[in-house]
């Protein structure tokens, strides 16, 4: 009778479209269809990594954090956000919740805009992986 | 002419679903047409918002996502708390009237206050349990009362997951439908165990220990390893005594008594009626106020008796103590 997923999606859509007020200043904008793609990407990432989230707090934070990235243009905005979302949830699980959401996003921004040079592959498989191995060694 | 004003209820036919109290009220309201689908949806959205707030507080603001099983428990925790609020109403019309204000946040906070109040009351019941438990060394019994329930009171999470039944409860009750969870289950368990202890206190403690020890020995077990319900063992002995025309508190049965019981039951036209009469006489004499409770646990006892009688194994059902009183 009541679908948890359906109502979570409704909340998420509203929150993502609100971010256009700020991203528009950087020439970046998401349509409702784009927002649904990102929500679906978020949902798939949550399912595959065994996590649950209400609303789009994380998508909103990722959008905000990467607004002024020199490596993101309107043409590939949705695709890059999709990859960043997947990377975020993958790392969240792998890092045993050691880093808070904000700390992980800050790290992702730092590497993506820096050493990774706008490459998702280098971000995930080299730069963040180094941090991951350090955390695993500690535990 | 005398006019009597009676409150007309629109909800007399409503039977709440214990496992989803508020949702069953919403479903009933939908069927009756007093609530519409958009109002129900808004309630669900408000519950999700409460869960979202709790999730952030649960992670101390560090994370907006949690493992799926934690998330489900947080969601169920919000629903359980709101259910607690509506369970607190004595009058169903008042409950529905409140429901139709759709102030979910208020329901949640009132529910939390109610759970905290019930928790405090339950601590008193637990204190009584610790002071009045039976002096019997059965590990399942003593470990449940001491470390088991102690753990419940130390770890019960009224804030985020009141639906989780923490603690270790190994000792079985005479009747346990196991429909409740969380605080409601522990409330049922502690209050029922107190009731059963009060029942067992009607017997001589020395005889009680003897019967339980011999019962365990019969199954080649040390008494401390028993996981049977003590009340049930004693009720069986009382049924035997009453059937033999003895006092209900008499727990002793000799081999000759066992033979007499076998003859009595196997030659009677309706042995189950003899058994049933003896059961209810036992309850009437020892604890008539709790007849309703004991009646609920009677059917499986009757089945055990039927199987034992038909297989010629009454000595497995009643316990021989060797001395005739």
């Amino acid at each position: 009778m009541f679908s948890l997923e359906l109502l979570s999606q409704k909340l998420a859509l509203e929150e993502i479209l609100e971010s256009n007020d700020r991203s528009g200043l950087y020439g970046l904008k998401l349509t409702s269809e784009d927002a649904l793609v990102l929500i679906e990407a978020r949902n798939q990432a949550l399912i595959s990594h065994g996590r649950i989230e209400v609303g789009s707090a994380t998508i909103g934070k990722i959008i905000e954090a990467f607004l002024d990235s020199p490596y993101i243009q309107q043409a590939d905005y949705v695709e890059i956000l999709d990859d960043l979302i997947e990377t975020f949830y993958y790392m969240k699980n792998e890092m045993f919740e050691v880093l808070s959401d904000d700390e992980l996003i800050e790290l992702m921004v730092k590497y993506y805009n820096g050493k990774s040079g706008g490459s998702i592959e280098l971000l995930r498989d080299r730069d963040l992986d180094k941090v991951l191995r350090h955390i695993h060694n500690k535990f | 002419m005398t006019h009597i004003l009676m409150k007309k209820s629109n909800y007399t036919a409503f039977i709440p679903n214990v496992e989803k109290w508020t949702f069953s009220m919403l479903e009933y309201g939908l069927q009756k047409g007093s609530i519409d689908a958009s109002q129900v949806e808004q309630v669900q959205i408000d519950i999700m918002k409460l869960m979202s707030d709790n999730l952030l507080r649960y992670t101390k603001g560090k994370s907006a996502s949690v493992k799926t099983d934690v998330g489900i428990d947080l969601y169920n925790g919000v629903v359980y708390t709101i259910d607690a609020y509506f369970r607190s109403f004595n009058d169903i019309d008042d409950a529905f009237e409140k429901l139709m204000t759709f102030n979910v946040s208020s329901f949640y906070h009132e529910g939390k206050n109610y759970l905290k109040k019930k928790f405090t009351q339950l601590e008193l019941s637990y204190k009584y349990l610790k002071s009045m438990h039976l002096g019997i060394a059965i590990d399942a019994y003593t470990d449940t009362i001491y470390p088991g329930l102690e753990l419940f009171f130390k770890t019960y999470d009224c804030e985020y997951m009141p639906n989780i039944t923490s603690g270790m409860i190994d000792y079985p009750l005479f009747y346990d439908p196991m429909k409740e969870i969380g605080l409601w289950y522990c409330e049922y368990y502690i209050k029922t165990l107190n009731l059963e202890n009060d029942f067992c206190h009607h017997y001589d403690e020395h005889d009680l220990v003897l019967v339980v020890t011999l019962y365990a020995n019969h199954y080649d077990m040390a008494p401390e390893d028993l996981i049977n319900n003590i009340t049930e063992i004693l009720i069986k002995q009382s049924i035997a005594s009453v059937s033999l025309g003895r006092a209900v508190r008499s727990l002793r049965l000799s081999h000759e008594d066992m033979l007499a019981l076998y003859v009595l039951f196997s030659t009677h036209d309706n042995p189950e009626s003899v058994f049933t009469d003896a059961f209810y006489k036992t309850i009437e004499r020892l604890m008539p106020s709790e007849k309703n409770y004991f009646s609920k646990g009677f059917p499986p006892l009757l089945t055990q008796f039927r199987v034992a009688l038909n297989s010629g194994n009454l000595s497995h059902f009643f316990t021989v103590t060797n001395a005739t009183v």
Side-chain angles (χ1 to χ4, degrees), chain A residues 1-2 7, chain B residues 11 14-17 20-47 75 79 82-83 86 92 95-96 98-104 107:
Chain A
M1 187 185 174
F2 303 113
L7 293 163
Chain B
Y11 304 103
F14 172 70
I15 300 168
N17 181 329
K20 45 172 194 166
W21 197 286
T22 311
F23 288 158
S24 66
M25 288 175 74
L26 289 168
E27 283 171 20
Y28 189 83
L30 260 180
Q31 284 165 23
K32 279 280 177 187
S34 49
I35 297 173
D36 66 52
S38 66
Q39 288 169 318
V40 171
E41 192 181 329
Q42 190 56 50
V43 167
Q44 187 70 339
I45 289 171
D46 290 342
I47 289 174
Y75 172 81
V79 173
I82 293 170
D83 282 356
F86 286 109
I92 195 62
F96 271 95
K98 238 349 183 241
L99 178 68
M100 284 187 282
T101 62
F102 299 105
N103 190 343
V104 175
F107 303 159

Side-chain angles (χ1 to χ4, degrees), chain A residues 1-4 7-8 10-11 46 49-54 57-58 88-89 92-93 97-102, chain B residues 23 26-27 30 40-41 44-45 48-49 51-52 55-56 61-72 75:
Chain A
M1 187 185 174
F2 303 113
S3 165
L4 202 67
L7 293 163
S8 177
K10 194 170 171 172
L11 283 172
L46 287 170
H49 299 301
R51 299 185 73 80
I52 199 165
E53 182 180 275
V54 180
T58 305
F88 173 85
Y89 288 109
K92 196 70 192 175
N93 255 14
E97 320 271 356
V98 165
L99 296 180
S100 68
D101 290 357
D102 291 343
Chain B
F23 288 158
L26 289 168
E27 283 171 20
L30 260 180
V40 171
E41 192 181 329
Q44 187 70 339
I45 289 171
M48 292 286 286
K49 283 181 179 168
M51 181 228 167
S52 180
L55 192 154
L56 278 174
K62 287 175 71 174
S63 182
S65 64
V66 289
K67 294 265 185 189
T68 302
D69 52 352
V70 173
I72 289 170
Y75 172 81

Side-chain angles (χ1 to χ4, degrees), chain A:
Chain A
M1 187 185 174
F2 303 113
S3 165
L4 202 67
E5 205 183 301
L6 193 63
L7 293 163
S8 177
Q9 183 166 298
K10 194 170 171 172
L11 283 172
L13 189 64
E14 285 169 10
E15 289 176 31
I16 291 171
L17 292 176
E18 272 172 19
S19 72
N20 280 336
D21 293 341
R22 294 171 295 286
S23 66
L25 299 171
Y26 297 89
L28 301 169
K29 208 167 172 119
L30 294 167
T31 63
S32 296
E33 288 76 22
D34 294 335
L36 289 172
V37 165
L38 293 179
I39 291 168
E40 185 53 30
R42 188 278 305 264
N43 291 346
Q44 287 306 315
L46 287 170
I47 289 168
S48 63
H49 299 301
R51 299 185 73 80
I52 199 165
E53 182 180 275
V54 180
S56 67
T58 305
I59 304 177
K61 283 185 180 181
I62 291 174
I63 291 170
E64 284 285 334
F66 286 87
L67 279 179
D68 59 354
S69 171
Y71 297 106
I72 300 176
Q73 313 295 330
Q74 179 65 41
D76 50 16
Y77 190 31
V78 175
E79 188 188 331
I80 292 173
L81 285 176
D82 187 321
D83 288 337
L84 288 169
I85 288 166
E86 159 62 30
T87 302
F88 173 85
Y89 288 109
Y90 169 74
M91 287 296 161
K92 196 70 192 175
N93 255 14
E94 294 295 312
M95 288 180 176
F96 307 137
E97 320 271 356
V98 165
L99 296 180
S100 68
D101 290 357
D102 291 343
E103 286 166 343
L104 177 53
I105 291 170
E106 202 180 305
L107 203 61
M108 286 170 66
V109 169
K110 178 183 158 187
Y111 284 130
Y112 182 80
N113 289 344
K115 284 168 83 172
S116 313
S119 162
I120 292 286
E121 287 76 24
L122 289 176
L123 171 70
R124 179 173 163 149
D125 301 332
R126 185 188 69 186
D127 301 320
L128 286 176
D129 188 65
K130 220 171 174 175
V131 177
L132 197 63
R133 279 185 277 122
H134 175 71
I135 290 171
H136 283 192
N137 286 340
K138 248 186 144 178
F139 282 87

